[in-house]
Amino acid sequence: MAKKNTPSVSPSHFLGVVVFSLCFFVPKSVLGVKKELRFRKNGGFKILQVADMHYADGKTTSCLNVFPNQMPTCSDLNTTAFVERMIQAEKPDFIVFTGDNIYGADATDASKSLSAAFQPAIASNIPWAAILGNHDQQSTLSREGVMKHIVGLKNTLSQVNPAEVHIIDGFGNYNLEIGGVKGSRFENKSALNLYFLDSGDYSTVPAIHGYGWIKPSQQLWFQRTSAKLRRAYMRQPEAQKGPAPGLVYFHIPLPEFASFDSSNFTGVRQEGISSASVNSGFFTTMVEAGDVKGVFTGHDHLNDFCGELTGIQLCYAGGFGYHAYGKAGWSRRARVVLASLEKTEQGGWGAVKSIKTWKRLDDEHLTTVDGQVLWSKSHAGKCLPNNP
């Protein structure tokens, strides 16, 4: 999202680099042969969401909205340090970067900036994926060029677009399947489905001003993909009565994010909802599909709430990067999602039992806040202690 004039926030002081190695497997997908991920032997799968890094030229790029005494030593390297700290603290199974990964207008060389921005994920050997925001293409690469560069980086599961679709708007529309625990009855089923979409940058329709939106061709791809996954999950072997839960990631929030007030969300809303000026109908499309339990966006850095609407949790991550606007006394932050499987009567692992979330602040202790249950088989929206 565009820069705003807002007060300051203290930057990270922790620049240590920590590397972890987590494994992933390559089964045959119901939608073709592609890399897939799998739940851990403890029945969990953890996703780290990083929104709006706004990376530019590294140590020569200054921070925005930090205290004056921090300015001389604050740069993109503080953003890098925060990613490294989050990887060390949470040890995620998967990392998702939800757009505005670089701030193109201030990036001298888009390829170099992208590679530097994702370097902590690359070095960790943890599988990761990225989608585009509205600023990634404002340097030396087009939106297609940015996505192609991302796809060429090490350890990424990102895709430019689905191989089976010849015509689709945008770049970075794809899905990933999370397989059940190795050796369990769900070993060959996708127990959790992740969808990634390009929400565009700015409207190309003269009569419509403002930000882009998810187009009909993308929604059609989502509908068909969701239906295929649903049929696969509900047929033998281990036929299930309903679909596996799905999580959706894109950059620009939907107009429906404006449906909440302080009485019915967890987190904070400190700025307006900067969605497209038209409603694409994608929220209704997700409700109709029946499998989506959560939507995760960025774009509005000062919002970090989750609110439930018609059975779907709509969640912001909160601003992550230091070369992005922030607010005095309000730490940069990241969102974590943990999906947990249920134990079967035989003592093995079955379907997803619950999906929880919390945020980490880039303060001295990486403070955990706003833990909550996003979805479970019995209830949703239950608050958790601040140490989930």
Side-chain angles (χ1 to χ4, degrees):
M1 187 179 174
K3 299 178 184 178
K4 300 181 181 178
N5 291 322
T6 51
S8 54
V9 62
S10 179
S12 168
H13 303 284
F14 301 87
L15 299 175
V17 179
V18 181
V19 176
F20 289 91
S21 178
L22 296 173
C23 64
F24 56 97
F25 77 115
V26 187
K28 187 171 183 178
S29 162
V30 298
L31 300 177
V33 179
K34 66 171 83 167
K35 290 182 180 178
E36 290 283 344
L37 303 142
R38 190 184 289 286
F39 277 80
R40 294 182 181 184
K41 292 184 182 295
N42 66 0
F45 188 85
K46 185 184 288 187
I47 302 170
L48 167 63
Q49 180 189 359
V50 175
D52 297 272
M53 288 191 292
H54 278 231
Y55 199 94
D57 285 345
K59 65 181 180 181
T60 62
T61 297
S62 61
C63 297
L64 296 181
N65 307 128
V66 298
F67 294 119
N69 65 331
Q70 301 293 344
M71 281 298 295
T73 59
C74 188
S75 72
D76 279 338
L77 299 186
N78 293 72
T79 301
T80 298
F82 187 20
V83 180
E84 292 166 349
R85 293 182 74 206
M86 285 301 302
I87 291 172
Q88 177 184 10
E90 291 289 355
K91 302 176 180 63
D93 300 291
F94 186 56
I95 306 170
V96 181
F97 297 90
T98 50
D100 283 0
N101 308 295
I102 64 172
Y103 188 75
D106 292 339
T108 305
D109 184 315
S111 297
K112 290 182 179 179
S113 294
L114 287 163
S115 297
F118 297 123
Q119 184 54 35
I122 294 168
S124 73
N125 287 324
I126 296 171
W128 61 276
I131 50 178
L132 302 181
N134 53 295
H135 289 307
D136 293 286
Q137 79 290 343
Q138 293 173 332
S139 180
T140 55
L141 291 175
S142 65
R143 290 181 74 77
E144 181 178 12
V146 169
M147 205 64 216
K148 285 183 175 179
H149 181 83
I150 290 171
V151 168
L153 296 174
K154 183 182 177 184
N155 297 326
T156 190
L157 303 184
S158 307
Q159 299 172 38
V160 174
N161 269 327
E164 72 276 9
V165 177
H166 299 296
I167 299 176
I168 189 169
D169 286 280
F171 303 96
N173 303 288
Y174 55 101
N175 72 289
L176 296 171
E177 302 165 28
I178 316 302
V181 174
K182 185 76 171 177
S184 73
R185 293 185 297 134
F186 278 71
E187 177 179 0
N188 296 315
K189 281 192 176 292
S190 178
L192 179 69
N193 295 310
L194 308 181
Y195 303 95
F196 305 86
L197 294 103
D198 180 4
S199 54
D201 49 8
Y202 303 96
S203 172
T204 57
V205 181
I208 301 174
H209 301 287
Y211 294 110
W213 58 89
I214 295 171
K215 303 298 197 307
S217 63
Q218 297 166 278
Q219 296 190 43
L220 179 60
W221 165 79
F222 166 80
Q223 289 173 312
R224 289 176 173 175
T225 303
S226 174
K228 287 180 182 179
L229 292 167
R230 192 162 58 246
R231 288 194 298 269
Y233 193 69
M234 296 172 67
R235 67 172 173 245
Q236 296 292 348
E238 299 298 329
Q240 301 299 300
K241 295 180 179 179
L247 306 178
V248 183
Y249 290 89
F250 49 88
H251 181 71
I252 298 174
L254 301 172
E256 285 80 5
F257 274 69
S259 303
F260 310 105
D261 58 40
S262 59
S263 69
N264 58 6
F265 65 64
T266 299
V268 297
R269 174 178 171 175
Q270 302 177 112
E271 63 177 309
I273 310 301
S274 298
S275 58
S277 60
V278 295
N279 193 321
S280 69
F282 187 51
F283 180 78
T284 301
T285 297
M286 291 188 290
V287 173
E288 290 175 342
D291 62 333
V292 175
K293 307 305 177 187
V295 171
F296 302 90
T297 69
H299 193 56
D300 298 326
H301 308 175
L302 301 183
N303 296 338
D304 73 348
F305 65 81
C306 283
E308 183 183 351
L309 184 65
T310 322
I312 296 178
Q313 293 278 353
L314 302 179
C315 297
Y316 280 107
F320 190 101
Y322 281 89
H323 187 54
Y325 69 85
K327 183 181 178 182
W330 201 70
S331 300
R332 266 67 170 185
R333 58 201 58 213
R335 181 172 291 281
V336 180
V337 169
L338 175 64
S340 300
L341 302 177
E342 62 185 357
K343 276 281 190 179
T344 65
E345 294 180 358
Q346 294 75 27
W349 295 109
V352 173
K353 175 182 67 176
S354 66
I355 301 172
K356 302 174 183 178
T357 188
W358 58 91
K359 290 166 299 212
R360 290 267 198 165
L361 310 183
D362 193 23
D363 58 17
E364 182 180 358
H365 304 290
L366 278 180
T367 303
T368 301
V369 298
D370 295 337
Q372 65 181 119
V373 176
L374 292 179
W375 175 85
S376 74
K377 286 193 169 182
S378 56
H379 62 278
K382 180 181 177 182
C383 289
L384 294 173
N386 274 344
N387 286 310

